[in-house]
Amino acid sequence: MLRKDMKTGLAPSVDPDEIARFEALAEDWWNPDGRMKLVHGFNASRVAHLRNRLPALMLRDPRRERPLDGLTLLDVGCGGGLVTEPMARLGALALGIDAAERNVRVATVHADQTGLPVVYRQAVPEEMVAERRQFDIVLSLEVVEHVADTDRFLAATASLVAPGGLLVIGTLNRTLVSFVKAIVGAECVLGWLPRGTHDWRRFMRPDEIAGTLAPLGFSVIETCGLELAPITMRWHTTRSCNTNYLQIHRRRGEPTAA
């Protein structure tokens, strides 16, 4: 049974202040010129990378129109569905969950408008665990740095991955470079993100993520960074993980070949 905080009614890993922060931004998720403008550019590069790598790692042909056809996918902390929808277009049976009710509402409305068969729920990973759910692919993108208890969150999220399945963690590295770029630059100087969006102390190094997941039966199979080119102002993948990075893990076992 899922135990929730008696005062907030939320799972222990959930930070109510962070939920309130993203509730306030909910209506801007699908506005490419609004407060999520930076996120849209970043997301395009992130989705392009996942679109190529996830099928290949699940023994599917990335050149197919729907290379994830029939695979189950969970997007933890889906926000407005900026990643969930593209994954559904690749054929995945996609479920997006978020602790913020307004995010779920915005995501649901947008999916209905586009006619995509995406399901969204206001929920946290612990609730999915209590329901004994498991998925071929689980995504947790830019969520880890906003939770109250990273160990609890990662453990719950990891248990939702089926044997042989993939877990993708996208977050920010705790480095001097990330402090300068993500906090000082993006929030304080350039105003690309609202001040207080991130707490640098909550950023996690790749080795910390890997070290937490290894005892749970996971191994890192790929890691890449995401950087913004200052001249073109376009995001691209890179070997450097000094700021944003994507880390793909596989749970012990072999995926089913398509």
Side-chain angles (χ1 to χ4, degrees), residues 44-81:
S45 178
R46 177 174 61 181
V47 167
H49 182 75
L50 294 177
R51 197 250 181 267
N52 288 326
R53 298 308 303 146
L54 292 182
L57 294 171
M58 293 302 291
L59 305 183
R60 303 293 185 93
D61 184 352
R63 296 169 296 181
R64 288 170 51 185
E65 184 178 353
R66 293 167 58 86
L68 298 182
D69 195 34
L71 294 178
T72 56
L73 180 144
L74 176 67
D75 188 2
V76 177
C78 62

mmCIF file of all heavy atoms in Angstrom, residues 44-81:
data_model
loop_
_atom_site.group_PDB
_atom_site.id
_atom_site.type_symbol
_atom_site.label_atom_id
_atom_site.label_comp_id
_atom_site.label_asym_id
_atom_site.label_seq_id
_atom_site.Cartn_x
_atom_site.Cartn_y
_atom_site.Cartn_z
ATOM 1 N N ALA A 44 13.299 19.290 -28.783
ATOM 2 C CA ALA A 44 13.431 18.801 -30.157
ATOM 3 C C ALA A 44 14.680 17.938 -30.305
ATOM 4 O O ALA A 44 14.650 16.875 -30.932
ATOM 5 C CB ALA A 44 13.473 19.976 -31.130
ATOM 6 N N SER A 45 15.786 18.383 -29.705
ATOM 7 C CA SER A 45 17.031 17.620 -29.770
ATOM 8 C C SER A 45 16.926 16.342 -28.953
ATOM 9 O O SER A 45 17.377 15.272 -29.382
ATOM 10 C CB SER A 45 18.193 18.481 -29.262
ATOM 11 O OG SER A 45 19.404 17.764 -29.274
ATOM 12 N N ARG A 46 16.306 16.445 -27.797
ATOM 13 C CA ARG A 46 16.148 15.279 -26.912
ATOM 14 C C ARG A 46 15.286 14.205 -27.574
ATOM 15 O O ARG A 46 15.641 13.026 -27.579
ATOM 16 C CB ARG A 46 15.514 15.749 -25.603
ATOM 17 C CG ARG A 46 15.214 14.680 -24.606
ATOM 18 C CD ARG A 46 14.718 15.283 -23.312
ATOM 19 N NE ARG A 46 13.496 16.046 -23.476
ATOM 20 C CZ ARG A 46 12.880 16.688 -22.486
ATOM 21 N NH1 ARG A 46 13.405 16.680 -21.276
ATOM 22 N NH2 ARG A 46 11.768 17.350 -22.691
ATOM 23 N N VAL A 47 14.170 14.603 -28.160
ATOM 24 C CA VAL A 47 13.274 13.650 -28.812
ATOM 25 C C VAL A 47 13.933 13.013 -30.029
ATOM 26 O O VAL A 47 13.783 11.808 -30.272
ATOM 27 C CB VAL A 47 11.951 14.341 -29.203
ATOM 28 C CG1 VAL A 47 11.137 13.467 -30.158
ATOM 29 C CG2 VAL A 47 11.131 14.659 -27.961
ATOM 30 N N ALA A 48 14.684 13.810 -30.788
ATOM 31 C CA ALA A 48 15.374 13.271 -31.963
ATOM 32 C C ALA A 48 16.351 12.173 -31.557
ATOM 33 O O ALA A 48 16.469 11.139 -32.228
ATOM 34 C CB ALA A 48 16.106 14.387 -32.698
ATOM 35 N N HIS A 49 17.050 12.385 -30.450
ATOM 36 C CA HIS A 49 17.998 11.376 -29.973
ATOM 37 C C HIS A 49 17.262 10.112 -29.532
ATOM 38 O O HIS A 49 17.662 8.990 -29.891
ATOM 39 C CB HIS A 49 18.815 11.939 -28.819
ATOM 40 C CG HIS A 49 19.847 10.986 -28.293
ATOM 41 N ND1 HIS A 49 21.017 10.715 -28.956
ATOM 42 C CD2 HIS A 49 19.870 10.219 -27.161
ATOM 43 C CE1 HIS A 49 21.727 9.828 -28.273
ATOM 44 N NE2 HIS A 49 21.051 9.510 -27.179
ATOM 45 N N LEU A 50 16.199 10.272 -28.780
ATOM 46 C CA LEU A 50 15.442 9.121 -28.303
ATOM 47 C C LEU A 50 14.778 8.385 -29.460
ATOM 48 O O LEU A 50 14.663 7.156 -29.439
ATOM 49 C CB LEU A 50 14.372 9.568 -27.300
ATOM 50 C CG LEU A 50 14.889 10.156 -25.983
ATOM 51 C CD1 LEU A 50 13.726 10.629 -25.127
ATOM 52 C CD2 LEU A 50 15.724 9.130 -25.212
ATOM 53 N N ARG A 51 14.373 9.127 -30.468
ATOM 54 C CA ARG A 51 13.724 8.519 -31.612
ATOM 55 C C ARG A 51 14.678 7.562 -32.348
ATOM 56 O O ARG A 51 14.256 6.552 -32.903
ATOM 57 C CB ARG A 51 13.266 9.613 -32.580
ATOM 58 C CG ARG A 51 12.233 9.121 -33.600
ATOM 59 C CD ARG A 51 12.851 9.073 -35.000
ATOM 60 N NE ARG A 51 11.829 8.627 -35.962
ATOM 61 C CZ ARG A 51 11.650 7.351 -36.317
ATOM 62 N NH1 ARG A 51 12.413 6.403 -35.787
ATOM 63 N NH2 ARG A 51 10.712 6.999 -37.180
ATOM 64 N N ASN A 52 15.956 7.875 -32.323
ATOM 65 C CA ASN A 52 16.948 7.011 -32.965
ATOM 66 C C ASN A 52 17.411 5.869 -32.069
ATOM 67 O O ASN A 52 17.570 4.734 -32.523
ATOM 68 C CB ASN A 52 18.163 7.837 -33.395
ATOM 69 C CG ASN A 52 17.870 8.719 -34.587
ATOM 70 O OD1 ASN A 52 17.095 8.351 -35.467
ATOM 71 N ND2 ASN A 52 18.469 9.899 -34.622
ATOM 72 N N ARG A 53 17.620 6.164 -30.794
ATOM 73 C CA ARG A 53 18.261 5.193 -29.925
ATOM 74 C C ARG A 53 17.311 4.183 -29.291
ATOM 75 O O ARG A 53 17.654 3.007 -29.157
ATOM 76 C CB ARG A 53 19.044 5.921 -28.816
ATOM 77 C CG ARG A 53 20.168 6.796 -29.331
ATOM 78 C CD ARG A 53 21.097 6.036 -30.275
ATOM 79 N NE ARG A 53 21.656 4.860 -29.624
ATOM 80 C CZ ARG A 53 21.925 3.714 -30.257
ATOM 81 N NH1 ARG A 53 21.667 3.579 -31.544
ATOM 82 N NH2 ARG A 53 22.448 2.693 -29.589
ATOM 83 N N LEU A 54 16.121 4.609 -28.894
ATOM 84 C CA LEU A 54 15.226 3.667 -28.210
ATOM 85 C C LEU A 54 14.855 2.469 -29.088
ATOM 86 O O LEU A 54 14.926 1.325 -28.624
ATOM 87 C CB LEU A 54 13.971 4.391 -27.719
ATOM 88 C CG LEU A 54 14.177 5.397 -26.589
ATOM 89 C CD1 LEU A 54 12.851 5.996 -26.171
ATOM 90 C CD2 LEU A 54 14.873 4.755 -25.388
ATOM 91 N N PRO A 55 14.465 2.672 -30.355
ATOM 92 C CA PRO A 55 14.161 1.501 -31.181
ATOM 93 C C PRO A 55 15.357 0.563 -31.329
ATOM 94 O O PRO A 55 15.215 -0.657 -31.229
ATOM 95 C CB PRO A 55 13.756 2.113 -32.526
ATOM 96 C CG PRO A 55 13.299 3.485 -32.197
ATOM 97 C CD PRO A 55 14.184 3.928 -31.068
ATOM 98 N N ALA A 56 16.527 1.138 -31.583
ATOM 99 C CA ALA A 56 17.719 0.305 -31.776
ATOM 100 C C ALA A 56 18.017 -0.523 -30.529
ATOM 101 O O ALA A 56 18.345 -1.713 -30.622
ATOM 102 C CB ALA A 56 18.917 1.183 -32.133
ATOM 103 N N LEU A 57 17.885 0.090 -29.369
ATOM 104 C CA LEU A 57 18.175 -0.616 -28.128
ATOM 105 C C LEU A 57 17.109 -1.639 -27.765
ATOM 106 O O LEU A 57 17.352 -2.550 -26.969
ATOM 107 C CB LEU A 57 18.345 0.392 -26.985
ATOM 108 C CG LEU A 57 19.568 1.317 -27.111
ATOM 109 C CD1 LEU A 57 19.519 2.413 -26.071
ATOM 110 C CD2 LEU A 57 20.857 0.513 -26.992
ATOM 111 N N MET A 58 15.924 -1.486 -28.357
ATOM 112 C CA MET A 58 14.864 -2.483 -28.166
ATOM 113 C C MET A 58 14.786 -3.442 -29.353
ATOM 114 O O MET A 58 13.779 -4.103 -29.576
ATOM 115 C CB MET A 58 13.515 -1.782 -27.964
ATOM 116 C CG MET A 58 13.430 -0.996 -26.666
ATOM 117 S SD MET A 58 13.705 -1.989 -25.168
ATOM 118 C CE MET A 58 12.230 -3.018 -25.143
ATOM 119 N N LEU A 59 15.889 -3.498 -30.127
ATOM 120 C CA LEU A 59 16.005 -4.410 -31.257
ATOM 121 C C LEU A 59 14.951 -4.157 -32.326
ATOM 122 O O LEU A 59 14.433 -5.080 -32.956
ATOM 123 C CB LEU A 59 15.952 -5.865 -30.779
ATOM 124 C CG LEU A 59 16.984 -6.253 -29.707
ATOM 125 C CD1 LEU A 59 16.857 -7.731 -29.385
ATOM 126 C CD2 LEU A 59 18.394 -5.899 -30.129
ATOM 127 N N ARG A 60 14.636 -2.891 -32.536
ATOM 128 C CA ARG A 60 13.716 -2.474 -33.586
ATOM 129 C C ARG A 60 14.480 -1.670 -34.633
ATOM 130 O O ARG A 60 15.535 -1.104 -34.353
ATOM 131 C CB ARG A 60 12.584 -1.612 -33.015
ATOM 132 C CG ARG A 60 11.767 -2.268 -31.904
ATOM 133 C CD ARG A 60 10.965 -3.441 -32.422
ATOM 134 N NE ARG A 60 10.087 -4.025 -31.420
ATOM 135 C CZ ARG A 60 8.820 -3.681 -31.244
ATOM 136 N NH1 ARG A 60 8.276 -2.734 -31.984
ATOM 137 N NH2 ARG A 60 8.098 -4.281 -30.324
ATOM 138 N N ASP A 61 13.922 -1.576 -35.830
ATOM 139 C CA ASP A 61 14.529 -0.806 -36.910
ATOM 140 C C ASP A 61 14.091 0.654 -36.792
ATOM 141 O O ASP A 61 12.899 0.959 -36.994
ATOM 142 C CB ASP A 61 14.096 -1.371 -38.260
ATOM 143 C CG ASP A 61 14.776 -0.682 -39.440
ATOM 144 O OD1 ASP A 61 15.470 0.330 -39.219
ATOM 145 O OD2 ASP A 61 14.596 -1.149 -40.579
ATOM 146 N N PRO A 62 15.011 1.580 -36.457
ATOM 147 C CA PRO A 62 14.647 2.990 -36.309
ATOM 148 C C PRO A 62 14.103 3.615 -37.586
ATOM 149 O O PRO A 62 13.467 4.671 -37.540
ATOM 150 C CB PRO A 62 15.982 3.655 -35.904
ATOM 151 C CG PRO A 62 16.832 2.546 -35.396
ATOM 152 C CD PRO A 62 16.438 1.334 -36.182
ATOM 153 N N ARG A 63 14.336 2.974 -38.738
ATOM 154 C CA ARG A 63 13.875 3.540 -40.011
ATOM 155 C C ARG A 63 12.392 3.278 -40.247
ATOM 156 O O ARG A 63 11.803 3.889 -41.138
ATOM 157 C CB ARG A 63 14.705 2.959 -41.160
ATOM 158 C CG ARG A 63 16.181 3.336 -41.101
ATOM 159 C CD ARG A 63 16.988 2.519 -42.087
ATOM 160 N NE ARG A 63 16.965 1.093 -41.751
ATOM 161 C CZ ARG A 63 17.606 0.157 -42.445
ATOM 162 N NH1 ARG A 63 18.327 0.492 -43.502
ATOM 163 N NH2 ARG A 63 17.528 -1.120 -42.071
ATOM 164 N N ARG A 64 11.811 2.386 -39.472
ATOM 165 C CA ARG A 64 10.380 2.120 -39.606
ATOM 166 C C ARG A 64 9.570 3.342 -39.191
ATOM 167 O O ARG A 64 10.005 4.148 -38.362
ATOM 168 C CB ARG A 64 9.977 0.920 -38.752
ATOM 169 C CG ARG A 64 10.469 -0.417 -39.290
ATOM 170 C CD ARG A 64 10.259 -1.530 -38.289
ATOM 171 N NE ARG A 64 8.897 -1.589 -37.771
ATOM 172 C CZ ARG A 64 8.502 -2.427 -36.807
ATOM 173 N NH1 ARG A 64 9.378 -3.260 -36.253
ATOM 174 N NH2 ARG A 64 7.261 -2.436 -36.386
ATOM 175 N N GLU A 65 8.383 3.479 -39.754
ATOM 176 C CA GLU A 65 7.533 4.621 -39.418
ATOM 177 C C GLU A 65 7.118 4.591 -37.961
ATOM 178 O O GLU A 65 7.048 5.628 -37.302
ATOM 179 C CB GLU A 65 6.294 4.636 -40.316
ATOM 180 C CG GLU A 65 5.407 5.846 -40.089
ATOM 181 C CD GLU A 65 4.201 5.865 -41.018
ATOM 182 O OE1 GLU A 65 4.141 4.999 -41.910
ATOM 183 O OE2 GLU A 65 3.335 6.745 -40.839
ATOM 184 N N ARG A 66 6.839 3.412 -37.439
ATOM 185 C CA ARG A 66 6.411 3.241 -36.049
ATOM 186 C C ARG A 66 7.301 2.181 -35.384
ATOM 187 O O ARG A 66 6.851 1.070 -35.083
ATOM 188 C CB ARG A 66 4.931 2.839 -35.996
ATOM 189 C CG ARG A 66 3.989 3.936 -36.480
ATOM 190 C CD ARG A 66 2.579 3.393 -36.718
ATOM 191 N NE ARG A 66 2.003 2.789 -35.538
ATOM 192 C CZ ARG A 66 1.347 3.455 -34.588
ATOM 193 N NH1 ARG A 66 1.196 4.770 -34.695
ATOM 194 N NH2 ARG A 66 0.844 2.829 -33.548
ATOM 195 N N PRO A 67 8.554 2.535 -35.123
ATOM 196 C CA PRO A 67 9.512 1.537 -34.623
ATOM 197 C C PRO A 67 9.245 1.042 -33.204
ATOM 198 O O PRO A 67 9.792 0.021 -32.803
ATOM 199 C CB PRO A 67 10.851 2.279 -34.699
ATOM 200 C CG PRO A 67 10.482 3.719 -34.588
ATOM 201 C CD PRO A 67 9.180 3.848 -35.315
ATOM 202 N N LEU A 68 8.427 1.764 -32.450
ATOM 203 C CA LEU A 68 8.116 1.322 -31.081
ATOM 204 C C LEU A 68 6.739 0.667 -31.012
ATOM 205 O O LEU A 68 6.185 0.497 -29.917
ATOM 206 C CB LEU A 68 8.170 2.507 -30.111
ATOM 207 C CG LEU A 68 9.519 3.216 -29.974
ATOM 208 C CD1 LEU A 68 9.424 4.330 -28.937
ATOM 209 C CD2 LEU A 68 10.638 2.247 -29.608
ATOM 210 N N ASP A 69 6.212 0.282 -32.161
ATOM 211 C CA ASP A 69 4.866 -0.266 -32.236
ATOM 212 C C ASP A 69 4.678 -1.442 -31.264
ATOM 213 O O ASP A 69 5.451 -2.408 -31.276
ATOM 214 C CB ASP A 69 4.582 -0.739 -33.665
ATOM 215 C CG ASP A 69 3.103 -0.976 -33.916
ATOM 216 O OD1 ASP A 69 2.291 -0.234 -33.345
ATOM 217 O OD2 ASP A 69 2.774 -1.902 -34.672
ATOM 218 N N GLY A 70 3.665 -1.313 -30.398
ATOM 219 C CA GLY A 70 3.328 -2.393 -29.477
ATOM 220 C C GLY A 70 4.068 -2.375 -28.159
ATOM 221 O O GLY A 70 3.687 -3.080 -27.223
ATOM 222 N N LEU A 71 5.134 -1.581 -28.040
ATOM 223 C CA LEU A 71 5.881 -1.518 -26.782
ATOM 224 C C LEU A 71 5.177 -0.567 -25.816
ATOM 225 O O LEU A 71 4.636 0.465 -26.212
ATOM 226 C CB LEU A 71 7.309 -1.020 -27.024
ATOM 227 C CG LEU A 71 8.218 -1.933 -27.846
ATOM 228 C CD1 LEU A 71 9.576 -1.277 -28.050
ATOM 229 C CD2 LEU A 71 8.390 -3.289 -27.170
ATOM 230 N N THR A 72 5.193 -0.920 -24.536
ATOM 231 C CA THR A 72 4.589 -0.064 -23.526
ATOM 232 C C THR A 72 5.611 0.930 -23.013
ATOM 233 O O THR A 72 6.782 0.596 -22.817
ATOM 234 C CB THR A 72 4.039 -0.895 -22.355
ATOM 235 O OG1 THR A 72 5.099 -1.714 -21.813
ATOM 236 C CG2 THR A 72 2.903 -1.787 -22.821
ATOM 237 N N LEU A 73 5.161 2.170 -22.810
ATOM 238 C CA LEU A 73 6.073 3.242 -22.393
ATOM 239 C C LEU A 73 5.407 4.100 -21.336
ATOM 240 O O LEU A 73 4.238 4.477 -21.481
ATOM 241 C CB LEU A 73 6.468 4.088 -23.604
ATOM 242 C CG LEU A 73 7.421 5.266 -23.351
ATOM 243 C CD1 LEU A 73 8.386 5.446 -24.529
ATOM 244 C CD2 LEU A 73 6.658 6.577 -23.119
ATOM 245 N N LEU A 74 6.143 4.403 -20.295
ATOM 246 C CA LEU A 74 5.677 5.288 -19.226
ATOM 247 C C LEU A 74 6.560 6.522 -19.178
ATOM 248 O O LEU A 74 7.784 6.412 -19.105
ATOM 249 C CB LEU A 74 5.734 4.569 -17.872
ATOM 250 C CG LEU A 74 5.363 5.423 -16.645
ATOM 251 C CD1 LEU A 74 3.887 5.804 -16.674
ATOM 252 C CD2 LEU A 74 5.704 4.680 -15.349
ATOM 253 N N ASP A 75 5.935 7.696 -19.211
ATOM 254 C CA ASP A 75 6.653 8.967 -19.093
ATOM 255 C C ASP A 75 6.357 9.534 -17.706
ATOM 256 O O ASP A 75 5.250 10.024 -17.447
ATOM 257 C CB ASP A 75 6.205 9.932 -20.198
ATOM 258 C CG ASP A 75 7.037 11.207 -20.253
ATOM 259 O OD1 ASP A 75 7.988 11.335 -19.450
ATOM 260 O OD2 ASP A 75 6.731 12.070 -21.092
ATOM 261 N N VAL A 76 7.323 9.430 -16.817
ATOM 262 C CA VAL A 76 7.154 9.869 -15.430
ATOM 263 C C VAL A 76 7.476 11.351 -15.313
ATOM 264 O O VAL A 76 8.567 11.786 -15.636
ATOM 265 C CB VAL A 76 8.080 9.057 -14.490
ATOM 266 C CG1 VAL A 76 7.953 9.568 -13.054
ATOM 267 C CG2 VAL A 76 7.755 7.575 -14.560
ATOM 268 N N GLY A 77 6.502 12.126 -14.839
ATOM 269 C CA GLY A 77 6.678 13.567 -14.794
ATOM 270 C C GLY A 77 6.549 14.140 -16.196
ATOM 271 O O GLY A 77 7.408 14.878 -16.662
ATOM 272 N N CYS A 78 5.449 13.788 -16.854
ATOM 273 C CA CYS A 78 5.287 14.079 -18.281
ATOM 274 C C CYS A 78 5.045 15.533 -18.602
ATOM 275 O O CYS A 78 5.128 15.935 -19.773
ATOM 276 C CB CYS A 78 4.140 13.240 -18.843
ATOM 277 S SG CYS A 78 2.525 13.600 -18.080
ATOM 278 N N GLY A 79 4.717 16.354 -17.598
ATOM 279 C CA GLY A 79 4.418 17.750 -17.889
ATOM 280 C C GLY A 79 3.231 17.842 -18.835
ATOM 281 O O GLY A 79 2.209 17.193 -18.650
ATOM 282 N N GLY A 80 3.394 18.644 -19.894
ATOM 283 C CA GLY A 80 2.320 18.801 -20.865
ATOM 284 C C GLY A 80 2.318 17.760 -21.953
ATOM 285 O O GLY A 80 1.513 17.838 -22.888
ATOM 286 N N GLY A 81 3.222 16.784 -21.878
ATOM 287 C CA GLY A 81 3.256 15.711 -22.870
ATOM 288 C C GLY A 81 4.193 15.960 -24.035
ATOM 289 O O GLY A 81 4.054 15.341 -25.092
#
